[in-house]
Amino acid sequence: MSIKVSIVVPVYGTEKYLRKCLDSLVEQTLKEIEILVVNDGSPDNSQAIIEEYERKYKNVRGFVKENGGMSDARNYGIVRAEGEYIGFIDSDDYVEPDMYAQMYEKAQNDSLDIVVCDTIAEYPSHSYVMKGYLGYAENDVKDYIIAYPNPPARIIKASLMKEHLFRKGVWYEDLELMPVFAVYTDKIGFVKKPFYYYVQREGSIMHQLKYNAHLEDLFEVMQNIIDAFKENGVYKKYEKELEYLAITHLQRSGILRYVNLESAEPLLERVHVMMRENFPEWTKNPYLKQSSWKFRLVCLLGKWKQYRVLSFLKGLM
């Protein structure tokens, strides 16, 4: 039986959530899948759970490696994957049972290298849909570039994924890699349904309030994205999309992440400098005009350096 989709599951410290994650995979309606569960040196009892699922399900393959972080664990699974496409799931998340059947069918019907779905951000008190397809752009490739760069909300042709692995040792590694795939292929499409459940937990790296040097990785990552499009001669073609990507991740999310940190001023100033140097007229971006009023308000308050107001609004979000 040929494997249609290989699903890579990095595991570290998620014993409490792992069964729900793996259950959602072994119950997939698409049967021609393999599930590569990579124990990234997890200190809890996750390995016992992985071995249990290995014994019970023939398509579950377990691996144990020294801790190297999310990117390293994903890469470990990628190079060992045998499927036509590769998907990812974080081990504290879960998916709908027909996710991979519908996404693989879309890929086959339209001869696509990448297929993206919607995501449900699930909090203890509420949830909301993060659309993979915003519908702002004139074609799917441009819409892909500005989409939320969540690897688990997509399947990627294995031949493509194996040529472009995640960079180890940085934060924002998803942002650094996912949009850049548009440089290498225009065979990109969407299934406009929410299949992936992104479980929001306290203590997540991206929700920490204390300063960490890796918070500054965002600037290097954004520059690397810009450089990749320039080096491949398509920067002008996608300049407005890259501008909106910077608006989203620097001007909006970056400022909101930095605003409550101790000694936030240097980071906030770097946002302004990078936006000014690369996209001096970003307030005229056509996708910004299509964004929600809340999105636009946060961006403009950041531009005007109204950090106290932003800190207050962040507490209400």
Side-chain angles (χ1 to χ4, degrees), residues 93-106:
D93 297 337
Y94 62 101
V95 297
E96 290 285 351
D98 59 341
M99 173 174 174
Y100 294 105
Q102 291 205 36
M103 294 182 75
Y104 183 79
E105 181 180 12
K106 174 70 174 179

Side-chain angles (χ1 to χ4, degrees), residues 247-273:
I247 292 170
T248 300
H249 295 283
L250 283 171
Q251 189 64 38
R252 181 189 179 278
S253 298
I255 286 180
L256 283 177
R257 188 163 294 136
Y258 300 150
V259 72
N260 287 336
L261 295 173
E262 295 180 6
S263 305
E265 283 297 330
L267 291 171
L268 293 168
E269 187 56 32
R270 284 187 70 181
V271 171
H272 293 293
V273 170

Side-chain angles (χ1 to χ4, degrees), residues 22-33:
L22 295 179
D23 283 343
S24 75
L25 295 178
V26 299
E27 294 169 0
Q28 286 294 302
T29 58
L30 181 67
K31 298 307 178 185
E32 299 92 339
I33 65 172

Side-chain angles (χ1 to χ4, degrees), residues 24 42 44 89 109 121 124 134 141 144 147 183 194 219 284 290 309:
S24 75
S42 186
D44 58 10
I89 181 171
N109 289 344
L134 296 176
V141 177
Y144 172 82
V183 168
F219 303 102
K284 299 178 182 178
Q290 297 182 67
V309 178

Side-chain angles (χ1 to χ4, degrees), residues 179-233:
V180 177
F181 276 124
V183 168
Y184 309 115
T185 182
D186 61 358
K187 297 178 180 178
I188 297 171
F190 299 85
V191 176
K192 301 164 192 174
K193 297 179 182 178
F195 292 134
Y196 189 86
Y197 289 83
Y198 179 28
V199 180
Q200 304 293 301
R201 295 188 291 134
E202 291 185 5
S204 167
I205 285 176
M206 291 308 175
H207 294 144
Q208 291 176 0
L209 295 178
K210 292 183 179 179
Y211 173 81
N212 185 304
H214 280 298
L215 286 166
E216 301 192 39
D217 291 348
L218 178 58
F219 303 102
E220 179 187 357
V221 162
M222 283 303 310
Q223 190 60 55
N224 287 344
I225 296 169
I226 292 169
D227 290 346
F229 278 80
K230 287 182 176 178
E231 290 165 4
N232 287 275

